[in-house]
């Protein structure tokens, strides 16, 4: 029996509610796949600030680095919005990613057949969409120096080194090998020198993956193509800022932010979390959709532990819950046979796994 140690960071707002459901589902998959999961909780975000005066206590970093993977809920809320920037929950999250060295953010955007009507695009455009944005997470313009501002001028710098591009490119090609073997690298090489380096290095790395078809696209065109014909994409490889924007755009193809998981992967450890925030407007009401977090737990099994059968069991159970017409409040108007609470949705998915 294989055992894995998971750091649980529930965070703020709906974070604790959705993590509890993911744990319920993990425990169900553990019993039927002969796996053992042990959990250690750590504080981060507003709750950590309230407890210790620091949104990212050192203990949380230690617990995370001593685990096999981190399952993360969400942080933040209006209560902490007026704190100095370095004390705010969001600063803790950026620091967390940097400390853990998670350089690759994987965001799948899948449109479930049962929810084609939930997308803001026409069903024939989104039916069958299954793409993965691979975004570089700890470099580029969000971290580049010099940066600064005076009264009348502000500046940031987009920097990428060869090594940073090499490691994210390998990640994208490896993922493409497990999917439809297509990588589209997104840049702005017609204008930016940093993008020309990106394009050259990605092209070089592609030679090591002869089975994968590589194409390049300018980011402005990619933003348009994602809406025009999203099914043309399999893996979209991007830098930090372009990926930030494109992955949010891609997430809307699926209909609800409550459905979409993500993984942030590094050399040491991976962090698995829903793409949404702490949703303070619905926290404590038992109506949050836990599917994004449950699907993040599935990504953890797939990418951190290589437990593909267990991950597939979770994904199949999610699809089954949706195809049987179970919906949380956010999707209640899309062919719901039964509207269920956060905890009911977790139990339904866990039960499908157990059967
Ligand atoms: P949000 O993603 O929390 O919420 C946006 C909207 O989507 C809200 O109406 C919310 O109710 C809804 N929503 C989000 N998740 C849902 C779910 N699982 N089920 C049903 N509905 C859901 O974004 P926001 O309102 O801009 O931010 C709220 C707080 O979250 C802020 O403090 C922000 O900084 C923080 N935040 C944290 C993360 C993170 O922890 N990774 C990411 C984004 C935002």
């Amino acid at each position: 029996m294989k055992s894995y140690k998971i750091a649980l960071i529930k965070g703020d707002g709906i974070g604790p509610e959705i993590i509890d459901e993911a744990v319920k589902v993990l425990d169900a998959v553990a019993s039927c796949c002969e796996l053992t999961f042990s959990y250690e909780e750590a504080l981060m975000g507003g709750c950590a600030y309230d407890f210790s005066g620091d949104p990212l206590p050192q203990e949380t970093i230690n617990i995370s680095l001593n685990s096999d993977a981190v399952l993360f809920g969400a942080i933040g809320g209006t209560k902490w919005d007026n704190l100095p920037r370095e004390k705010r929950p969001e600063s803790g999250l950026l620091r967390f990613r940097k400390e853990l060295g998670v350089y690759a953010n994987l965001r799948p955007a899948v449109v479930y057949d049962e929810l084609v009507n939930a997308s803001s695009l026409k069903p024939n455009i989104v039916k069958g969409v299954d793409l993965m944005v691979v975004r570089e997470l700890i470099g580029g313009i969000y971290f580049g120096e010099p940066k600064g501002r005076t009264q009348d001028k502000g500046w940031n710098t987009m920097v990428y080194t060869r090594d940073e591009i090499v490691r994210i490119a390998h990640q994208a090609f490896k993922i493409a090998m497990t999917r439809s073997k297509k990588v589209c690298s997104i840049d702005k090489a017609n204008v930016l020198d940093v993008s020309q380096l990106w394009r050259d290095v990605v092209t070089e790395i592609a030679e090591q993956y002869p089975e994968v078809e590589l194409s390049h696209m300018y980011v402005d065109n990619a933003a348009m193509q994602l809406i025009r014909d999203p099914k043309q994409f399999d893996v979209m490889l991007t830098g930090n800022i372009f990926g930030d924007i494109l992955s949010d755009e891609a997430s809307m193809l699926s209909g609800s932010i409550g459905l979409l998981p993500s993984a942030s992967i590094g050399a040491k450890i991976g962090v698995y979390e829903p793409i949404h925030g702490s949703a303070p407007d619905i926290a404590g009401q038992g109506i949050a959709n836990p599917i994004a977090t449950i699907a993040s737990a599935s990504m953890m099994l797939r990418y951190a532990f290589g437990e593909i059968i267990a991950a597939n069991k979770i994904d199949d159970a999610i699809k089954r819950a949706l195809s049987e017409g179970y919906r949380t409040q956010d999707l209640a108007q899309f062919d719901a046979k039964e509207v269920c609470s956060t905890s009911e949705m977790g139990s339904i998915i866990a039960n499908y796994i157990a059967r």
Side-chain angles (χ1 to χ4, degrees):
M1 186 171 285
K2 285 201 223 146
S3 32
Y4 300 102
K5 197 169 155 192
I6 300 167
L8 288 183
I9 302 182
K10 295 183 174 181
D12 308 313
I14 60 170
E17 301 167 50
I18 53 179
I19 288 285
D20 286 350
E21 299 317 307
V23 168
K24 195 188 274 177
V25 169
L26 280 171
D27 286 343
V29 93
S31 341
C32 71
C33 293
E34 302 206 338
L35 303 170
T36 309
F37 300 123
S38 60
Y39 307 102
E40 188 164 9
E41 285 193 36
L43 289 178
M44 191 171 141
C47 59
Y49 174 79
D50 288 348
F51 187 73
S52 68
D54 183 350
L56 178 61
Q58 184 59 40
E59 194 193 6
T60 296
I61 298 171
N62 297 346
I63 290 174
S64 300
L65 288 173
N66 283 325
S67 303
D68 297 312
V70 180
L71 189 60
F72 184 90
I75 49 92
T78 44
K79 179 178 171 193
W80 304 283
D81 278 352
N82 295 323
L83 290 172
R85 185 157 296 281
E86 73 281 3
K87 296 283 182 197
R88 287 180 56 172
E90 294 78 3
S91 302
L93 183 56
L94 282 185
R95 197 150 53 86
F96 185 63
R97 289 173 176 158
K98 195 82 183 170
E99 291 266 358
L100 266 55
V102 287
Y103 63 84
N105 184 232
L106 278 43
R107 276 201 193 186
V110 175
V111 175
Y112 294 102
D113 282 354
E114 298 73 19
L115 294 175
V116 284
N117 293 319
S119 173
S120 48
L121 297 186
K122 291 185 187 127
N124 67 316
I125 302 282
V126 293
K127 191 171 190 307
V129 163
D130 179 1
L131 62 87
M132 172 81 84
V133 179
V134 177
R135 166 189 167 197
E136 200 290 326
L137 198 58
I138 54 174
I141 197 164
Y142 293 166
F143 294 92
E145 297 285 350
K147 64 180 175 196
R149 70 158 287 176
T150 61
Q151 186 72 18
D152 303 316
K153 192 173 161 186
W155 62 97
N156 293 84
T157 310
M158 192 188 279
V159 187
Y160 270 116
T161 63
R162 169 174 290 274
D163 287 351
E164 286 172 325
I165 304 167
V166 165
R167 66 182 180 181
I168 190 75
H170 276 299
Q171 198 60 251
F173 285 111
K174 280 186 188 144
I175 287 165
M177 287 295 288
T178 67
R179 298 172 48 95
S180 302
K181 300 193 171 76
K182 275 167 60 183
V183 170
C184 181
S185 174
I186 314 294
D187 62 39
K188 191 72 185 166
N190 49 345
V191 178
L192 301 174
D193 292 331
V194 58
S195 276
Q196 189 59 56
L197 175 72
W198 178 280
R199 188 174 281 221
D200 293 347
V201 175
V202 170
T203 307
E204 254 172 66
I205 300 302
E207 287 171 18
Q208 298 174 41
Y209 301 86
E211 285 176 58
V212 179
E213 179 192 321
L214 171 67
S215 59
H216 302 276
M217 197 179 275
Y218 298 134
V219 62
D220 39 354
N221 185 24
M224 189 263 280
Q225 295 294 338
L226 254 182
I227 301 297
R228 195 187 69 83
D229 176 20
K231 275 178 272 192
Q232 71 184 280
F233 295 111
D234 178 23
V235 172
M236 300 179 82
L237 166 62
T238 81
N240 204 344
I241 189 169
F242 300 154
D244 194 2
I245 298 163
L246 291 178
S247 58
D248 267 25
E249 187 186 347
S251 74
M252 275 327 292
L253 301 170
S254 80
S256 170
I257 196 167
L259 292 170
L260 293 164
S262 79
S264 301
I265 290 175
K268 291 178 274 194
I269 192 151
V271 181
Y272 299 81
E273 57 179 308
I275 70 158
H276 58 73
S278 59
D281 53 333
I282 56 166
Q285 298 176 36
I287 58 170
N289 189 341
I291 289 180
T293 315
I294 294 169
S296 302
S298 160
M299 288 188 84
M300 177 178 75
L301 297 180
R302 190 178 301 280
Y303 294 107
F305 307 155
E307 297 290 353
I308 310 299
I309 293 171
N312 287 343
K313 271 188 185 292
I314 296 182
D315 294 347
D316 290 347
I318 292 173
K319 279 189 205 130
R320 182 152 171 214
L322 293 172
S323 68
E324 306 256 325
Y326 293 107
R327 306 278 186 269
T328 39
Q329 201 70 54
D330 51 319
L331 292 166
Q333 72 272 41
F334 301 108
D335 308 318
K337 289 206 190 78
E338 193 173 326
V339 177
C340 48
S341 68
T342 308
S343 143
E344 285 163 347
M345 181 59 98
S347 300
I348 288 160
I349 294 170
N351 287 339
Y352 284 148
I353 290 168
R355 263 187 246 152

